[in-house]
């Protein structure tokens, strides 16, 4: 079924407002025959006579009066659309849908988002929390624009990394744990362990660290929240291996100890290969690099 075009509606509104097809054509930079053709086509599509003549002027018929308000709303909607797009075209406005883990959201993103907003006040950043596999799946499917995640061992060919940074891991033990200095895998394996849930990429780095020493410790608890693990360690229930990003401030009842040998995870901003890097995404990337 044919539907009216914006050009036809604009010509109809101009004819009604000016009382003349000739004047309407002139105001729209059309020839009079072209304007008349558009009006005839509009009447054909709608199946109703829209204009009539009286005393040398054109005026809307009953059917024409019935479509005046919808036609004006349609024109206003298009003008609003053009205005909204202009803000994005000028780089004043933007939106980024970012997926990340809870640890990065709590300990890294606040200054990043503040810096990005300071550079681009019209930038809207929507943050979704999830583990690395979930975030990467949503980025690949286009549900998210970017993901700031612990980098997996392999990355889909559909994805690429915009920026990377290293985040060391450290031991968190209850205050008063015997010994001083760095802890080895053997020393940590001898303690009750509270680790991040299995299946995550950060947990994979921890497991690999133990595995290189020929160890496969069984934790007494596995949790999906680093913040909860810190509280449990502070309660004296066990020790853990956590990202240094989450250990910037002290947790009551705990001590932070380095690992020997050292190990780390890699964080990265991941995008789809074909993703357009508009100003908003560039501002966010540069803000992440500045705190790396």
């Amino acid at each position: 079924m044919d539907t009216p075009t914006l050009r036809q509606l604009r010509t109809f509104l101009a004819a009604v407002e000016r009382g003349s097809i000739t004047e309407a054509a002139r105001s729209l930079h059309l020839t009079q025959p072209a304007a008349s053709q558009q009006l005839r086509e509009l009447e054909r599509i709608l199946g109703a006579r829209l204009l009539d003549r009286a005393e040398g002027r054109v005026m809307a018929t009953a059917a024409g009066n019935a479509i005046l308000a919808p036609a004006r709303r349609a024109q206003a909607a298009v003008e609003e659309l053009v205005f909204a797009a202009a803000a994005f075209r000028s780089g004043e406005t933007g939106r980024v849908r970012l997926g990340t883990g809870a640890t990065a959201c709590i300990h890294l993103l606040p200054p990043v988002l503040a810096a990005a907003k300071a550079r681009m006040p019209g930038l809207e950043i929507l943050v979704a929390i999830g583990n690395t596999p979930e975030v990467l799946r949503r980025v690949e499917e286009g549900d998210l624009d970017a993901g700031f995640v612990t980098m997996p061992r392999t990355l889909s060919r559909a994805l690429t990394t915009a920026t990377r940074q290293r985040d060391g891991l450290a031991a968190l033990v209850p205050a008063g744990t015997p010994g001083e200095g760095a802890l080895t895998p053997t020393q940590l394996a001898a303690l009750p362990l509270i680790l991040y849930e299995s299946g995550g990429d950060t947990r994979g780095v921890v497991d690999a660290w133990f595995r290189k020493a020929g160890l496969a410790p069984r934790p007494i608890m596995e949790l999906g929240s680093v913040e909860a693990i810190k509280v449990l360690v502070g309660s004296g229930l066990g020790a853990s291996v956590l990202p240094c990003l989450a250990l910037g401030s002290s947790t009551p009842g705990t001590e932070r100890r380095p690992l020997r040998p050292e190990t780390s995870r890699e964080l990265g901003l991941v995008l789809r290969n074909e993703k357009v890097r508009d100003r908003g995404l560039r501002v966010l990337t540069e803000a992440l690099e500045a705190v790396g």
Side-chain angles (χ1 to χ4, degrees):
M1 176 181 177
D2 290 341
T3 57
T5 66
L6 179 64
R7 187 184 299 272
Q8 292 165 353
L9 294 177
R10 186 183 292 119
T11 302
F12 167 71
L13 289 173
V16 172
E17 291 166 1
R18 295 175 181 271
S20 166
I21 296 176
T22 299
E23 290 301 317
R26 184 176 292 115
S27 70
L28 298 174
H29 306 289
L30 299 173
T31 64
Q32 195 275 343
S36 296
Q37 175 60 33
Q38 288 184 20
L39 293 170
R40 286 194 296 270
E41 184 65 10
L42 179 61
E43 289 180 329
R44 183 193 68 78
I45 291 171
L46 296 179
R49 181 75 175 270
L50 301 177
L51 294 172
D52 209 347
R53 290 185 178 274
E55 298 181 353
R57 289 177 57 84
V58 295
M59 59 183 62
T61 64
N65 278 315
I67 72 165
L68 275 176
R72 285 171 178 148
R73 288 197 297 270
Q75 181 169 276
V78 171
E79 290 172 353
E80 182 181 357
L81 179 150
V82 172
F83 178 80
F88 282 85
R89 185 171 62 250
S90 67
E92 298 172 359
T93 302
R95 186 182 73 162
V96 176
R97 300 166 299 169
L98 176 67
T100 192
T103 300
C105 186
I106 295 170
H107 299 283
L108 180 75
L109 281 189
V112 170
L113 300 185
K117 289 287 287 183
R119 283 189 55 192
M120 189 176 174
L123 178 61
E124 179 185 16
I125 303 177
L126 307 178
V127 180
I129 303 299
N131 58 32
T132 293
E134 177 189 0
V135 169
L136 293 181
R137 175 185 58 79
R138 294 181 65 185
V139 171
E140 189 166 354
E141 292 175 354
D143 189 37
L144 293 172
D145 298 310
F148 187 71
V149 296
T150 302
M151 295 301 297
R153 285 184 291 274
T154 58
L155 193 64
S156 165
R157 292 183 179 179
L159 302 175
T160 188
T161 308
T163 182
R164 293 175 183 247
Q165 57 185 260
R166 179 181 175 276
D167 181 26
L169 300 185
L172 190 70
V173 299
T177 297
E180 295 181 358
L183 291 170
T184 65
T186 300
Q187 290 171 316
L188 268 174
L191 301 174
L193 289 176
I194 305 170
L195 299 180
Y196 193 75
E197 63 186 358
S198 59
D201 287 277
T202 299
R203 173 62 185 275
V205 173
V206 175
D207 288 344
W209 183 73
F210 279 111
R211 193 162 49 247
K212 287 180 180 179
L215 300 170
R218 294 183 178 180
I220 61 170
M221 281 186 276
E222 296 179 326
L223 289 87
S225 168
V226 169
E227 300 306 303
I229 292 174
K230 289 160 62 176
V231 172
L232 292 174
V233 173
S235 299
L237 296 178
S240 189
V241 178
L242 297 174
C244 292
L245 179 62
L247 301 176
S249 58
S250 61
T251 301
T254 68
E255 295 178 7
R256 174 176 166 174
R257 305 267 291 273
L259 300 177
R260 189 174 70 241
E262 295 181 350
T263 191
S264 63
R265 63 176 183 166
E266 189 177 37
L267 303 176
L269 184 69
V270 178
L271 317 172
R272 293 188 309 281
N273 287 326
E274 71 276 12
K275 177 64 182 175
V276 175
R277 302 192 189 192
D278 57 19
R279 185 182 175 220
L281 197 51
R282 293 196 305 272
V283 166
L284 178 63
T285 301
E286 290 164 7
L288 280 168
E289 291 173 342
V291 300

